[in-house]
Amino acid sequence: MKHLEGMEHICNILFGSLHHCVVIVDEQGIITFMNERYYEFLGTSASRAVGRHVTEVIENTRMHLVVASGEAEKANMQYIRGNYMIADRVPLYNNGYIIGALGLVMFRDRKEWAEMNQHIKTLMLELESYQKKVEQLNGTSYSLHDALSVSPEMEEVKRNVRKVASSDVSVLLRGETGTGKELFAQGLHKLSERSMKPFVKVNCAAIPGDLLESELFGYEEGAFTGAKKGGKPGKFQLADQGTIFLDEIGDMPLNTQVKILRVLQEGEIEPLGAQGPRQLDVRVVAATNQPLEQLMETQQFREDLYYRINVISFTIPALRNRPEDIPLLSKFMLQKVTKRLGKRITAFDQQVLDRFLNYSWPGNVRELENTIEASVHLAEGETIQLSDLPERMADKRAAGGEWETKPLKQVLAEAEKQAIVQALKEANGEKREACALLGIGKSSLYNKIMKYGLD
């Protein structure tokens, strides 16, 4: 960082004898200064730390993210070398431009910190236990922290989501298939005052139109032939006091759109066969990968409903538009998949990462994860090579040298087929062992073998 070069002497005067750990990075996230206290704690030195990216020296650091966002982080928990630390991080500005960031890790003498750290660990374990119970009760498994990113576009979306999470305003999430709209919907819910109440998802495209109304609003006993004794609560009733997530709302039939509008306007529903309306308190978060404005022009989507759900709208960027996130996501997904499958694969060959960066990712983050899982099944060494990638990643167009974009259904089918072939190969044809490797049931495996003609 040219603005901070030559200031090492001043930094040493200011922070050299400070009891806390101090680190300074430049606008690229490169370490330019650390005090002796931090070197001692990390077991490193200036010659091994200064000049390297902060993520290579300090585990679980967020210094580079503070530089990217320009927003300070106060009293943030950080896990370093088996200990929970309390860290402050602030961006550094010069003439209105970010030139780096300063981080301060605070603790007192080691004995006092060890006692405090043990207490924090106990509390964190209790919190994790309670969080799992809450997730089971309210139907959420993601938070905004799961939307890993360093790209300015994605960080901006996350900042804005945090701003509106505490309100009850209706939110419309836009984005291509696989960008993570449900993750953001769950993140909104977890950050809201309704976080301890239910989060209920409805896939409007997956439920037949003639059943959608009863699924959403429920029915009373005897409402129609075959109705359950005692009736059945609808999704809106199940989400009372909480959040309902209407995924693929562009596929909702017009007659159902009218009733959704009533819920938003009046805060009430009327189950099939009911004598009158029932009051509800539900926050609505909708999502679509379709241009609703065009659907309104063709009378396929109600204009009044559009303005009700589109009070605040967020567009989640496609993966191809934030390539700087691909290495971060790839590393995280590799660790996640190998841990689940019990395989020791630690890295990607650089050619693989280059291929990832040059691929268009029509299925976005979901396709990236499926690609990595298929590659893990196919890989024989500890590093994923080009030869381990699904076939579509090797296909090139005759002209221009660009990789061919295929429909997501075809992409997923190819990855699934390759994973099954590799599992059967590793299991020497033993289908029971192949089921264990794939994490699926025996009947499911046989169906897929027949589907892909592998018998």
Side-chain angles (χ1 to χ4, degrees), residues 202 204 211-218 233-237 244 246 252 256 260 269:
V202 180
C204 302
L211 297 179
L212 186 58
E213 189 172 328
S214 62
E215 282 291 318
L216 288 174
F217 308 114
K235 299 291 188 182
F236 271 92
Q237 288 165 284
I244 191 164
L246 301 176
M252 181 178 287
T256 309
I260 293 289
I269 64 164

Side-chain angles (χ1 to χ4, degrees), residues 388-424:
D388 301 324
L389 297 180
E391 290 179 4
R392 70 179 184 281
M393 300 295 293
D395 289 342
K396 288 187 178 181
R397 292 179 179 166
E402 296 179 358
W403 283 276
E404 181 183 2
T405 299
K406 299 180 181 179
L408 180 59
K409 185 179 291 186
Q410 182 180 347
V411 168
L412 299 179
E414 289 176 358
E416 185 176 63
K417 179 181 177 181
Q418 284 192 302
I420 292 170
V421 169
Q422 181 64 21
L424 289 169

Side-chain angles (χ1 to χ4, degrees), residues 98-202:
I98 294 179
I99 59 171
L102 181 146
L104 184 68
V105 175
M106 298 169 287
F107 62 95
R108 301 181 71 174
D109 63 80
R110 293 183 182 275
K111 181 181 178 183
E112 182 179 346
W113 174 248
E115 292 173 355
M116 186 187 301
N117 184 60
Q118 189 59 47
H119 181 58
I120 291 174
K121 281 184 176 179
T122 302
L123 292 176
M124 292 294 285
L125 288 172
E126 290 181 9
L127 179 62
E128 185 177 349
S129 175
Y130 288 133
Q131 186 175 5
K132 287 180 179 178
K133 290 178 181 177
V134 169
E135 288 174 354
Q136 291 173 353
L137 289 171
N138 68 13
T140 59
S141 55
Y142 298 111
S143 70
L144 215 55
H145 289 295
D146 294 310
L148 300 178
S149 65
V150 292
S151 66
E153 296 84 358
M154 197 68 160
E155 290 298 304
E156 177 71 13
V157 174
K158 289 195 285 187
R159 277 197 300 275
N160 289 331
V161 166
R162 291 189 185 98
K163 290 177 184 177
V164 304
S166 61
S167 70
D168 280 340
V169 66
S170 297
V171 174
L172 176 63
L173 299 171
R174 295 174 178 265
E176 297 177 8
T177 298
T179 50
K181 295 187 287 296
E182 183 176 355
L183 186 155
F184 275 87
Q186 292 192 20
L188 268 167
H189 176 73
K190 281 194 171 181
L191 290 171
S192 73
E193 299 297 323
R194 301 172 180 264
S195 60
M196 301 301 289
K197 300 298 181 178
F199 175 90
V200 177
K201 176 187 175 182
V202 180

